[in-house]
Amino acid sequence: MKKERKAWTPEARARHAEGVARYQKQRKRYELMELFFHLSDLIKTEPTSIFKTFLARNKEFKRISAIESRAEKLRLIRELVADTMQKIKSGILVDPVIKAAQSKEAQAKFSKKELAMMTGEAV
């Protein structure tokens, strides 16, 4: 005979819903990271370069995704990533990760050590 379960309290329901939402958000983040790593293997570049390109030049990235030919798509993404990283190194484009780390929200949310790690500065 099974033991009868008690009904959930409103607080328990709220905690559970919050946990489910946090898990789903984390799962989406991991799926996106996996996509960047897989794409970096295909175009033979660093995942961080793809991520920075995606952040800095989102419109171009989306435009390329509409192309049907896979080979053409990969070639254009490789060129876009190389061009973006060259522009970041030469100072034409601001590094989107550093820009985000310098925002007021990031300053309030992260410690100085975490911000230094994000921007690549010495602690």
Side-chain angles (χ1 to χ4, degrees), residues 22-73:
R22 187 173 49 245
Y23 169 77
Q24 302 234 345
K25 191 175 182 180
Q26 184 178 18
R27 196 179 93 218
K28 285 182 184 177
R29 191 176 311 125
Y30 286 145
E31 287 174 359
L32 185 61
M33 285 173 33
E34 188 178 312
L35 174 69
F36 283 135
F37 277 96
H38 180 67
L39 185 58
S40 70
D41 287 344
L42 288 174
I43 65 170
K44 295 173 181 44
T45 189
E46 291 292 319
T48 53
S49 300
I50 296 171
F51 181 66
K52 288 178 181 182
T53 302
F54 184 75
L55 289 176
R57 301 175 77 182
N58 196 358
K59 287 182 182 176
E60 290 97 329
F61 219 91
K62 286 180 181 177
R63 182 183 54 77
I64 291 172
S65 69
I67 296 172
E68 298 216 7
S69 167
R70 180 184 165 116
E72 182 69 10
K73 212 183 274 193

Side-chain angles (χ1 to χ4, degrees), residues 59-104:
K59 287 182 182 176
E60 290 97 329
F61 219 91
K62 286 180 181 177
R63 182 183 54 77
I64 291 172
S65 69
I67 296 172
E68 298 216 7
S69 167
R70 180 184 165 116
E72 182 69 10
K73 212 183 274 193
L74 292 176
R75 183 185 67 76
L76 289 172
I77 289 174
R78 187 179 301 120
E79 288 176 5
L80 182 65
V81 169
D83 182 54
T84 302
M85 293 313 294
Q86 184 63 35
K87 285 182 177 180
I88 287 173
K89 286 177 185 171
S90 65
I92 296 170
L93 278 176
V94 177
D95 189 324
V97 176
I98 293 173
K99 184 178 178 182
Q102 292 171 345
S103 70
K104 289 182 181 179

